[in-house]
């Protein structure tokens, strides 16, 4: 195709779209809605997915979670995960370290009288260190402090700031009271990290698990709802480690193989996978809905192009009479429908991006943790969508364009 | 062009066009064998439904015959592909239509350039289109859109479009049918000039007997066959067999008879002072007929020669 021909096709398509402003506009609306909803859904959806991934990636990939009970099957006479269970698991050669994972929700009162509901996690020293947490101020609690059940507490930002507004360095050295016991803040971790999903909505802190058992009401010294074991991946895979631990626990709980266990072993990887399955299912579902709107838009294009072809039968006949081949007519009409949908696609892209950013701005206003969701503008997605819009015009323009190209010049000229 | 003066630009052998219509077959054209020389100025005549448009479409390579052969400028075109046919239309034929058929949204110049868009030779498109517009005297209207031009001007733009690729033949379907008297004459004069000065073969289609009466050559078509209705009826009654079997001599004789009868009628009318009402008068056609009569200096009814009839004889059979 020569340059002259291309520029001619372009200006012709432009002229024809312009000549039927109202009609073209209505057709465009369909494409704009379709493309912009696809872009919005993908940008915001990818943003949510990135956010969730980011939240979950704090979990160390070598962590295995052992929790009592079995959610999938009803079991009787459930035994809890006991200290004995934990000690034996901790003694396994492939387990680097382990930690109980206790959780209590308590009201903390600061020296200045401010109160804050805290989700307090009881870990061993290794539990925090191996859990992918990033210390930003102060220090972590030591093994000795765990052994002595010292009343020390570490927080995850922004807890310290909420309790002690304006305080720098994570309020290290400050004191807070929980259940009438005074704890000293010794360190602050960056939000995120192990078990800290949706840190913005909740306030996380951690004390030595021994302190929790000893000093907090409701603490149980002999049983853990949940525990963590960190597998040495240089010795065996996390999956193999899970199997071995299951064997140990079945023996200890006296449950023969084949019977449902009264505990569950999961990995952080598995949890990440589960969450991403959920988010991508949502994404696919929403994209499907958007795709339907695009399909409707495409039928709109096809419809309008069929009308155009019928209206311009004479023109087609004339073009053929002066020497246009079938292919010339086909290309002309494909060009026109591609132009129409590409134009709509570009507008849709713009409105889609605006909507994405508008939506995240809206989410930021809602707060409650949603403020961390950022629309992810993926250039690949944008390029694909725009390319798709043009391709779309060609696909849905094909039927009308073929109809046009196959018109007999004689019949076309005869039409009044 | 002169060395080809007596060669055929159009040569057809037993052209037929059938359309299936339910169980029966409609014979739109039946056994048409004609020759048209380079540089001829001819008209295909016939009432509506006679098959003249079908013939024009086939001669214009817009349609293919069901049977028979068609040689255009030496090329057998009845069997070639759609694409080649489009190319032939583009290079060898310039169309002029009754309703002009200009694209409304583009300028006169762009309309004239349209055939070049599909031509293999795209060099100097604009210059060539301007030249063509200049030939029809509309160089100063190049930037105007069709609706800003009068009917006559629009038809001149259409003629420029027909000329732009320098075709052998100009095929004009009722070119003056939609025009007023003045424009009709101008357009016909333009076609005559192109025929005389540029040596273009001009083939017109018309149903108007006024034009038919004055053009140098008439090809009458009726009921899908060559010859006017009268001619066919007389021959049919003579032969009692298929009309198409009639010999050239018989056909010529019949045409002489008809011409003589028409002259007689005219003389009678003149004597009795009867003015026959002409039905279906088109101002444009009437003045166009005047232009032809002035140019070719003949009125083939009033001067009484058998020349037009002779020329209408099919020259090649088989």
């Amino acid at each position: 195709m020569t340059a002259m021909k291309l520029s001619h096709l372009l200006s012709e398509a432009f002229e024809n779209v312009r000549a039927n402003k109202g009609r073209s506009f209505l057709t465009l609306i369909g494409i704009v809605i379709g493309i912009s909803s696809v872009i919005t859904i993908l940008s915001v959806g990818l943003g949510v997915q990135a956010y969730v991934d980011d939240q979950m990636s704090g979990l160390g990939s070598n962590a295995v979670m052992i929790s009592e009970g079995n959610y999938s099957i009803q079991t009787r006479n459930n035994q809890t995960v006991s200290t004995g269970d934990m000690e034996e698991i901790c003694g396994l050669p492939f387990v680097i370290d382990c930690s109980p994972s206790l959780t209590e929700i308590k009201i903390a009162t600061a020296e200045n009288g401010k109160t804050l509901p805290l989700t307090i996690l009881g870990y061993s020293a290794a539990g925090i260190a191996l859990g992918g947490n990033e210390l930003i101020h102060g220090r972590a609690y030591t093994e000795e402090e765990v052994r002595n059940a010292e009343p020390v507490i570490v927080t995850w930002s922004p807890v310290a700031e909420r309790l002690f507004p304006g305080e720098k360095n994570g309020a290290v050295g400050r004191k807070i009271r929980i259940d009438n016991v005074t704890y000293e803040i010794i360190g602050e971790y960056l939000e995120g990290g192990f078990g800290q999903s949706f840190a913005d909505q909740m306030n996380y802190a951690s004390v030595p698990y021994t302190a929790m058992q000893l000093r907090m009401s409701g603490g149980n010294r002999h049983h853990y709802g949940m525990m963590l074991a960190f597998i040495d991946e240089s010795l065996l895979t996390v999956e193999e480690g899970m199997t071995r631990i299951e064997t140990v626990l079945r023996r200890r709980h006296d449950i023969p193989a084949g019977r449902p266990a009264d505990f569950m072993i999961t990995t952080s990887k598995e949890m990440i996978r589960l969450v991403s399955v959920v988010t991508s299912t949502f994404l696919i579902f929403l994209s499907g809905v958007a795709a339907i709107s695009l399909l409707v838009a495409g039928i709109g294009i096809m419809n309008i192009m069929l009308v155009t072809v019928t209206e311009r039968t004479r023109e087609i006949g004339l073009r053929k009479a002066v020497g246009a081949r079938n292919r010339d007519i086909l290309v002309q009409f494909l060009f026109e429908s591609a132009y129409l949908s590409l134009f709509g696609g570009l507008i849709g892209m713009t409105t889609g991006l605006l909507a994405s950013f508008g939506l995240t701005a809206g989410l930021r206003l809602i707060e409650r943790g949603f403020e961390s969701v950022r629309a992810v503008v993926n250039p690949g997605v944008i390029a694909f969508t725009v390319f798709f819009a043009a391709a779309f015009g060609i696909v849905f323009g094909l039927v009308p364009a073929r109809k046009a190209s196959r018109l007999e010049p004689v019949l076309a000229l005869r039409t009044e | 062009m002169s060395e080809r003066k007596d060669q055929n630009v159009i040569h057809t052998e037993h052209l037929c066009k059938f359309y299936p219509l339910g169980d029966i077959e409609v014979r739109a054209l039946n056994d048409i064998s004609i020759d048209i020389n380079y540089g001829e100025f001819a008209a295909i005549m016939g009432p509506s439904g006679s098959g003249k448009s079908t013939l024009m479409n086939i001669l214009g390579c817009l349609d293919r015959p069901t049977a028979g052969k068609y040689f255009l400028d030496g090329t057998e075109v009845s069997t070639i592909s759609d694409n080649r046919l489009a190319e032939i239309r583009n290079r060898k034929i310039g169309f002029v239509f009754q309703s002009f058929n200009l694209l409304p949204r583009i300028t006169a110049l762009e309309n004239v350039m349209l055939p070049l868009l599909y031509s293999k030779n795209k060099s100097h498109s604009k210059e060539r289109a301007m030249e063509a517009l200049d030939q029809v005297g509309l160089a100063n209207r190049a930037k105007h859109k069709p609706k800003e031009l009068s009917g006559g001007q629009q038809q001149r733009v259409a003629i420029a479009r027909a000329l732009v690729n320098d075709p052998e033949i100009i095929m004009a379907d009722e070119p003056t049918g939609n025009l007023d008297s003045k424009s009709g004459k101008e357009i016909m004069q333009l076609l005559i000039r192109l025929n005389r000065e540029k040596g273009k073969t001009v083939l017109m289609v018309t149903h108007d007997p006024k034009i038919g009466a004055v053009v140098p050559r008439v090809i009458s078509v009726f009921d899908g066959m060559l010859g006017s209705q009268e001619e066919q009826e007389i021959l049919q009654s003579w032969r009692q067999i298929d009309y198409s079997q009639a010999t050239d001599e018989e056909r010529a004789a019949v045409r002489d008879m008809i011409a003589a009868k028409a002259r007689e009628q005219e003389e009678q009318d003149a004597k009795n002072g009867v003015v026959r009402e002409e039905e279906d008068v088109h101002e444009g056609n009437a003045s166009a007929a005047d232009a032809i009569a002035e140019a070719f200096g003949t009125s083939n009814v009033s001067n009484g020669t058998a020349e037009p009839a002779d020329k209408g004889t099919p020259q090649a059979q088989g």
Side-chain angles (χ1 to χ4, degrees):
Chain A
M1 207 182 297
T2 65
M4 175 205 157
K5 202 158 179 185
L6 190 68
S7 70
H8 186 89
L9 282 169
L10 255 173
S11 72
E12 202 145 274
F14 175 74
E15 274 299 316
N16 284 320
V17 168
R18 215 185 53 144
N20 294 306
K21 275 192 217 83
R23 186 203 289 170
S24 304
F25 174 71
L26 290 176
T27 313
L28 282 179
I29 287 180
I31 309 160
V32 168
I33 290 175
I35 295 281
S36 63
S37 49
V38 166
I39 291 210
T40 309
I41 286 166
L42 283 179
S43 299
V44 176
L46 286 174
V48 169
Q49 205 162 36
Y51 173 68
V52 170
D53 282 355
D54 187 48
Q55 293 286 325
M56 301 302 291
S57 67
L59 291 112
S61 64
N62 63 338
V64 169
M65 274 157 275
I66 302 142
S67 43
E68 61 181 30
N70 190 325
Y71 302 145
S72 51
I73 300 152
Q74 282 260 308
T75 50
R76 262 180 280 176
N77 306 321
N78 281 352
Q79 301 169 64
T80 51
V81 178
S82 66
T83 33
D85 292 340
M86 191 177 95
E87 270 158 24
E88 183 159 351
I89 291 167
C90 286
L92 292 169
F94 57 87
V95 173
I96 303 170
D97 215 329
C98 54
S99 169
S101 176
L102 308 176
T103 312
E104 294 284 347
I105 296 176
K106 299 282 181 187
I107 303 291
T109 313
E111 291 165 304
N112 56 15
K114 261 192 181 307
T115 60
L116 194 69
L118 281 183
T119 303
I120 304 173
L121 306 155
Y123 286 136
S124 69
I128 291 191
L130 295 173
N133 295 291
E134 194 186 334
L135 193 67
I136 45 173
H137 292 114
R139 59 177 181 86
Y141 43 77
T142 62
E143 277 181 51
E144 200 188 333
E145 281 167 329
V146 173
R147 227 174 6 252
N148 299 337
E150 297 279 353
V152 288
I153 189 163
V154 292
T155 65
W156 274 266
S157 59
V159 169
E161 205 191 311
R162 285 177 185 167
L163 278 167
F164 300 97
E167 195 91 13
K168 297 261 189 303
N169 301 323
V172 171
R174 293 290 194 167
K175 305 244 174 358
I176 54 175
R177 287 182 73 79
I178 299 162
D179 282 356
N180 284 320
V181 176
T182 305
Y183 292 82
E184 184 188 348
I185 298 177
I186 56 167
E188 186 183 30
Y189 289 95
L190 192 65
E191 64 174 296
F194 183 78
Q196 311 304 306
S197 317
F198 308 107
D200 299 312
Q201 285 163 275
M202 288 153 88
N203 302 298
Y204 286 99
S206 179
V207 298
Y209 74 96
T210 46
M212 186 179 257
Q213 287 175 320
L214 198 68
R215 300 178 193 279
M216 288 186 194
S217 58
N220 188 323
R221 296 185 200 186
H222 303 293
H223 297 102
Y224 312 105
M226 194 172 130
M227 65 164 287
L228 305 166
F230 298 93
I231 309 288
D232 186 347
E233 284 180 290
S234 64
L235 293 177
L236 38 75
T237 64
V238 173
E239 283 70 26
E240 284 168 338
M242 281 167 69
T243 321
R244 302 262 188 105
I245 290 169
E246 185 172 347
T247 315
V248 169
L249 278 178
R250 276 181 182 274
R251 176 173 49 73
R252 288 187 62 91
H253 290 196
D254 199 19
I255 300 165
R259 287 253 313 276
D262 60 358
F263 54 86
M264 286 193 307
I265 303 178
T266 52
T267 60
S268 47
K269 266 186 193 161
E270 213 169 326
M271 284 183 69
I272 293 172
R273 196 182 55 78
L274 266 170
V275 172
S276 67
V277 163
V278 171
T279 50
S280 50
T281 306
F282 259 107
L283 205 57
I284 290 167
F285 173 73
L286 288 173
S287 303
V289 173
I292 289 173
S293 71
L294 260 182
L295 183 74
V296 174
I299 292 168
I301 294 181
M302 184 142 83
N303 199 8
I304 221 72
M305 288 308 294
L306 281 171
V307 171
T308 304
V309 169
T310 309
E311 268 182 0
R312 284 159 61 190
T313 306
R314 257 182 111 69
E315 175 193 327
I316 296 161
L318 173 76
R319 283 176 185 273
K320 286 197 156 186
V322 300
R325 291 160 302 173
N326 292 1
R327 205 177 61 207
D328 295 318
I329 302 293
L330 186 82
V331 168
Q332 185 194 337
F333 279 90
L334 282 184
F335 217 82
E336 210 167 303
S337 60
Y339 175 85
L340 195 66
S341 65
L342 183 63
F343 189 54
L346 287 173
I347 297 176
M349 185 191 81
T350 315
T351 54
L353 288 178
L354 289 176
S356 307
F357 291 122
L359 211 61
T360 46
L363 284 175
R364 214 165 299 150
L365 286 179
I366 299 172
E367 289 189 347
R368 291 167 185 272
F370 288 115
E371 62 263 34
S372 307
V373 177
R374 302 268 179 281
V376 172
V377 178
N378 185 333
V381 168
I382 305 298
F384 175 77
T385 314
V386 172
F387 167 79
F388 183 74
F392 198 68
I394 290 176
V395 168
F396 283 92
L398 200 61
V399 170
R402 264 172 78 90
K403 186 183 165 198
S405 75
R406 289 180 171 191
L407 282 174
E408 295 279 344
V410 176
L411 295 176
L413 275 176
R414 203 177 289 157
T415 318
E416 284 299 334
Chain B
M1 207 143 311
S2 55
E3 70 273 12
R4 300 189 303 185
K5 199 70 193 168
D6 291 317
Q7 289 175 342
N8 301 327
V9 67
I10 287 174
H11 169 76
T12 74
E13 295 173 10
H14 310 292
L15 281 188
C16 294
K17 183 74 184 177
F18 305 146
Y19 295 106
L21 188 77
D23 289 342
I24 57 160
E25 217 175 32
V26 176
R27 302 194 155 201
L29 284 182
N30 194 6
D31 198 31
I32 303 277
S33 300
I34 46 174
D35 281 303
I36 296 171
N37 291 343
Y38 284 98
E40 258 196 274
F41 193 100
I44 299 175
M45 287 272 310
S48 46
S50 61
K52 65 178 192 302
S53 292
T54 310
L55 179 58
M56 169 83 163
N57 289 335
I58 290 175
L59 295 182
C61 296
L62 291 168
D63 204 355
R64 283 203 188 77
T66 314
K69 284 183 176 157
Y70 174 23
F71 294 89
L72 175 69
D73 198 22
T75 315
E76 156 75 293
V77 294
S78 45
T79 53
I80 62 174
S81 72
D82 278 355
N83 284 350
R84 285 269 294 129
L85 214 54
E87 191 192 325
I88 288 197
R89 286 197 295 270
N90 184 255
R91 272 208 346 251
K92 303 203 168 174
I93 303 168
F95 287 98
V96 178
F97 304 94
Q98 179 172 7
S99 48
F100 325 135
N101 272 339
L102 299 178
L103 299 187
R105 280 192 292 276
I106 57 178
T107 64
L109 182 67
E110 286 165 329
N111 263 295
V112 175
M113 282 165 71
L114 198 63
L116 298 176
L117 191 68
Y118 304 115
S119 166
K120 279 187 176 153
N121 177 12
K122 291 189 176 67
S123 61
H124 306 291
S125 289
K126 210 163 205 166
E127 290 78 2
R128 282 155 71 196
M130 273 311 289
E131 206 177 299
L133 270 178
D134 195 40
Q135 277 189 46
V136 298
L138 280 180
N140 56 341
R141 297 292 162 93
K143 297 280 175 213
H144 290 243
K145 297 227 167 135
K147 65 169 182 284
E148 297 159 0
L149 301 171
S150 72
Q153 286 171 331
Q154 287 188 48
Q155 192 62 303
R156 280 197 276 164
V157 172
I159 292 175
R161 181 179 64 196
L163 283 177
V164 74
N165 243 342
D166 196 26
E168 265 338 308
I169 310 170
I170 291 176
M171 295 212 175
D173 188 359
E174 300 276 11
T176 54
N178 274 8
L179 297 176
D180 59 62
S181 150
K182 181 166 168 286
S183 312
K185 189 162 187 175
E186 280 170 6
I187 291 298
M188 194 50 72
Q189 281 167 339
L190 183 56
L191 288 174
I192 292 164
R193 189 159 57 87
L194 292 170
N195 173 253
R196 291 222 162 143
E197 293 173 11
K198 305 271 173 189
K200 303 280 178 217
T201 310
V202 175
L203 186 58
M204 260 195 303
V205 169
T206 183
H207 71 282
D208 200 316
K210 271 189 174 257
I211 292 180
V214 290
V215 284
R217 175 169 173 198
V218 175
I219 298 163
S220 289
V221 180
F222 181 75
D223 202 17
M225 291 180 283
L226 286 177
S228 66
Q229 182 177 9
E230 238 180 326
E231 196 179 329
Q232 287 184 29
E233 278 166 2
I234 295 167
L235 280 169
Q236 191 78 47
S237 63
W238 280 5
R239 302 276 305 197
Q240 295 297 324
I241 49 162
D242 190 358
Y243 155 78
S244 60
Q245 300 300 311
T247 63
D248 290 353
E249 290 72 27
E250 284 171 329
R251 284 164 185 265
V254 168
R255 269 196 293 275
D256 281 347
M257 258 176 61
I258 295 167
K261 207 168 136 199
R263 269 200 309 282
E264 209 171 281
Q265 179 73 56
E266 207 174 65
E267 279 161 20
Q268 198 101 42
D269 288 349
K271 211 186 286 171
N272 302 343
V274 177
V275 179
R276 293 207 169 261
E277 283 217 3
E278 290 164 17
E279 44 181 304
D280 203 10
V281 179
H282 290 267
E283 290 179 46
N285 284 350
S287 62
D290 292 343
I292 297 170
E294 281 166 28
F296 293 95
T298 53
S299 164
N300 56 22
V301 176
S302 51
N303 76 0
T305 65
E307 182 216 21
D310 184 43
K311 281 207 172 171
T313 307
Q315 294 179 354
Q317 293 273 10

